[in-house]
Amino acid sequence: MRALTRRSMLRGGAVALPFAALAACSDDEQPKPSFVEPDSQRVAGAEAARNPGPAREFQLNAIASEVDLGGLVVPTWSYGGTIPGAPIRVAKGEQVRATLVNDLPEATSIHWHGVQLRCNADGVPDVTQAPIAAGESFTYQFTAPDAGTYWFHPHSGTQLDRGLYAPLIVEDPDETVDWDLEWTVVLDDWMDGVTGTPDDVLDQLESGMGLMDHGGMDMGLMTDGHMLMGASSDILGDDAGDVYYPHYLVNGKLPADPEVFEADPGARVRLRFVNAGGDTAFRVALSGHRFTVTHTDGFPCVPVEADAIVIGMGERYDAVVTLGEGVFALVAEAEGKQMRGRALVRTGTGEAPTVDIAPAELTGHVLAYDELAPAEGVALEAREPDRTIDLELTGSMDGYDWAFNGKPHDLDNPYAIEEGERVRLRFINDGRMWHPMHLHGHTFALADTGLRKDTAIVLPDQTLEVDFDAVNPGRWMVHCHNLYHGEAGMMAVIGYRD
Ligand code: C2O
Ligand code: CU
């Protein structure tokens, strides 16, 4: 029999612990370190030090409704009935004041992915706030201290793999702008309301039904219900994903009825890519063009040219292109899954490329992390780590027992750090599967190159080291942004000591 997971307990109707009780109860005899509380003076003090600017008001209605994906109408959950939800835009230093009205049939939350924000606005149920019950509302208020491309989504069960996501763009009034237009391009893998719900998918993955061992033999791509086997990628390894999705969306649209971006030939466009997928890395390319990559996870990098970019779940890239004349395919290939989503870019007359076009750029020069360096001004100063935390990425497809250090969902026992430290996280992956690792509340630097990111791909047989400065007191999730790995247990908390 498989163990009762935290999620199935909650869904099974067991009464969830009251939020305040979580930290208190323990069977251990050892006194546990105590950690900064999200609602503490320390958190309020860190927020005050950001010199909060004017508050911009937003309302988000999380609703269940039918949504048109471009010729396919599906029942799903979204912010306000559109996918992605309407973007939130503020200027650097301003406050987001967003009221979430929960009209879903279950509790929800919003996490503001990548923002170094006050801990009590981070949106993690039972860690930074109480869940927002069905029918309730909650107002998130926080300063957005850094410009860049961010996004938001629930941190509740599998809700992210429905249509609940939207961009959060923080503009820098002082940025030297050298583009004419900007377009946000949100990528997603879609099954909700088509082959089942994300909860059905997690159930099947956790029960492991039908999973066969193909013992390293190349049997090609196979599906079994929601499960996918043999998703092989030359970049991510021979297990590029677990979940079969019937559709891939760019800005909420199917390839047959895509979003069409229009511009004049010669226009310089800043593209802001966000991967909102649950289990899919996307390889993006624009036919007939090369990208100049300018930002990783919101932060500027030394510009680098590439034909294609592989974007893990939760990652963002900004790239600038100078548009030629004609009609071009902006393609997002589901890495290893042999399917694609796309949008079109139209600057002149001409036939639209065919629905299934695979532009040559997809197999051209694909950007790698080690080509990228942080822009001057955003590199962390050189410093030896004061503390190193080892996080071994454990688990496998067989048991679907993803965890850190063999301890699934161990949220009540934070890894302790002290404010002011330089902290190194070592993500140790001895398994066969890649994982996009995300840290809340901070933007780390890859130890090798200094590249600033908040979500980073850890390949099979790789140890990735990342450093951050502990300057934002609170309790912060670190987890795999493969939604199903996270829900299976690959999540933990890093806590600032009180
Ligand atoms: Cu987008 Cu906890 O993550
Ligand atoms: Cu993972």
Side-chain angles (χ1 to χ4, degrees):
M1 221 184 87
R2 74 192 165 102
L4 199 61
T5 63
R6 199 172 74 93
R7 184 190 53 87
S8 55
M9 257 166 60
L10 294 176
R11 208 173 39 190
V15 179
L17 286 175
F19 171 50
L22 276 178
C25 57
S26 147
D27 313 330
D28 290 356
E29 281 133 47
Q30 299 266 350
K32 289 215 178 151
S34 82
F35 296 97
V36 171
E37 294 290 342
D39 279 314
S40 63
Q41 267 314 312
R42 292 265 300 275
V43 170
E47 177 68 351
R50 294 183 184 105
N51 294 319
R56 306 282 171 216
E57 306 261 351
F58 302 90
Q59 186 175 321
L60 296 159
N61 291 73
I63 60 168
S65 72
E66 297 205 317
V67 175
D68 187 351
L69 304 178
L72 176 69
V73 176
V74 294
T76 189
W77 299 354
S78 66
Y79 296 119
T82 67
I83 297 176
I88 286 185
R89 273 184 181 267
V90 295
K92 171 182 168 168
E94 288 182 343
Q95 295 180 73
V96 173
R97 184 180 159 82
T99 298
L100 170 66
V101 180
N102 181 11
D103 284 326
L104 303 174
E106 62 183 51
T108 191
S109 56
I110 294 184
H111 169 59
W112 311 89
H113 181 122
V115 181
Q116 185 166 309
L117 45 46
R118 61 189 302 164
C119 185
N120 58 350
D122 194 48
V124 182
D126 302 326
V127 175
T128 69
Q129 68 171 108
I132 305 163
E136 305 276 286
S137 357
F138 183 87
T139 298
Y140 290 92
Q141 184 161 352
F142 60 90
T143 305
D146 301 296
T149 303
Y150 302 94
W151 63 300
F152 57 94
H153 62 77
H155 225 284
S156 300
T158 63
Q159 291 176 10
L160 160 64
D161 222 7
R162 300 185 190 246
L164 292 162
Y165 57 83
L168 166 60
I169 307 297
V170 182
E171 290 172 348
D172 185 349
D174 301 325
E175 198 158 36
T176 34
V177 174
D178 74 339
W179 56 89
D180 309 313
L181 289 169
E182 63 167 81
W183 298 333
T184 303
V185 182
V186 187
L187 315 169
D188 194 17
D189 43 17
W190 194 272
M191 120 286 293
D192 190 35
V194 183
T195 54
T197 69
D199 287 330
D200 299 333
V201 173
L202 183 60
D203 279 346
Q204 193 190 356
L205 290 167
E206 288 192 329
S207 68
M209 266 165 11
L211 186 70
M212 51 192 129
D213 186 2
H214 48 106
M217 262 187 300
D218 184 10
M219 317 234 337
L221 210 51
M222 291 185 297
T223 60
D224 174 6
H226 300 292
M227 294 200 292
L228 184 69
M229 285 145 278
S232 168
S233 154
D234 53 352
I235 290 176
L236 301 177
D238 62 5
D239 198 353
D242 300 345
V243 178
Y244 167 68
Y245 292 90
H247 301 293
Y248 293 94
L249 309 180
V250 177
N251 286 350
K253 292 291 186 191
L254 294 167
D257 184 14
E259 159 111 69
V260 181
F261 294 107
E262 296 196 340
D264 292 327
R268 275 177 68 74
V269 181
R270 178 180 183 172
L271 298 163
R272 297 176 182 266
F273 291 106
V274 178
N275 183 349
D279 173 74
T280 305
F282 285 98
R283 187 188 292 218
V284 295
L286 175 60
S287 61
H289 294 78
R290 297 199 94 189
F291 297 128
T292 302
V293 179
T294 59
H295 296 73
T296 57
D297 296 352
F299 278 61
C301 59
V302 177
V304 166
E305 306 249 306
D307 295 310
I309 313 170
V310 171
I311 310 177
M313 294 79 83
E315 290 190 295
R316 289 91 60 218
Y317 282 91
D318 293 18
V320 175
V321 288
T322 302
L323 297 175
E325 181 161 7
V327 188
F328 307 99
L330 181 56
V331 169
E333 179 159 291
E335 183 71 17
K337 296 184 174 181
Q338 301 175 16
M339 285 175 73
R340 288 178 284 273
R342 68 154 184 182
L344 291 176
V345 173
R346 181 182 290 279
T347 63
T349 52
E351 287 278 297
T354 55
V355 168
D356 56 356
I357 186 182
E361 286 77 8
L362 283 174
T363 50
H365 177 68
V366 184
L367 185 73
Y369 284 172
D370 60 15
E371 297 173 64
L372 291 160
E376 217 184 312
V378 302
L380 292 187
E381 69 177 87
R383 180 174 164 187
E384 284 304 308
D386 301 299
R387 181 190 299 275
T388 297
I389 299 174
D390 280 355
L391 296 170
E392 193 182 338
L393 315 185
T394 55
S396 71
M397 281 305 290
D398 307 327
Y400 221 73
D401 50 352
W402 304 107
F404 290 122
N405 299 326
K407 292 181 279 185
H409 284 299
D410 192 18
L411 306 189
D412 300 342
N413 295 298
Y415 291 89
I417 64 173
E418 301 273 2
E419 189 166 355
E421 289 177 337
R422 168 71 54 89
V423 180
R424 172 162 294 179
L425 302 179
R426 281 166 32 100
F427 297 113
I428 303 159
N429 185 5
D430 290 330
R432 288 179 45 207
M433 195 154 188
W434 70 285
H435 303 275
M437 301 309 315
H438 174 46
L439 172 66
H440 285 204
H442 304 76
T443 297
F444 51 67
L446 304 189
D448 277 355
T449 59
L451 184 70
R452 298 298 299 274
K453 291 189 99 314
D454 54 63
T455 311
I457 291 174
V458 186
L459 295 169
D461 293 318
Q462 186 193 13
T463 294
L464 184 76
E465 300 184 331
V466 306
D467 293 344
F468 68 93
D469 284 331
V471 293
N472 193 14
R475 298 165 180 239
W476 302 102
M477 300 293 295
V478 55
H479 66 91
C480 181
H481 222 286
N482 181 310
L483 179 68
Y484 298 95
H485 295 184
E487 282 306 293
M490 196 179 271
M491 40 172 72
V493 175
I494 293 181
Y496 283 63
R497 275 221 169 96
D498 220 347

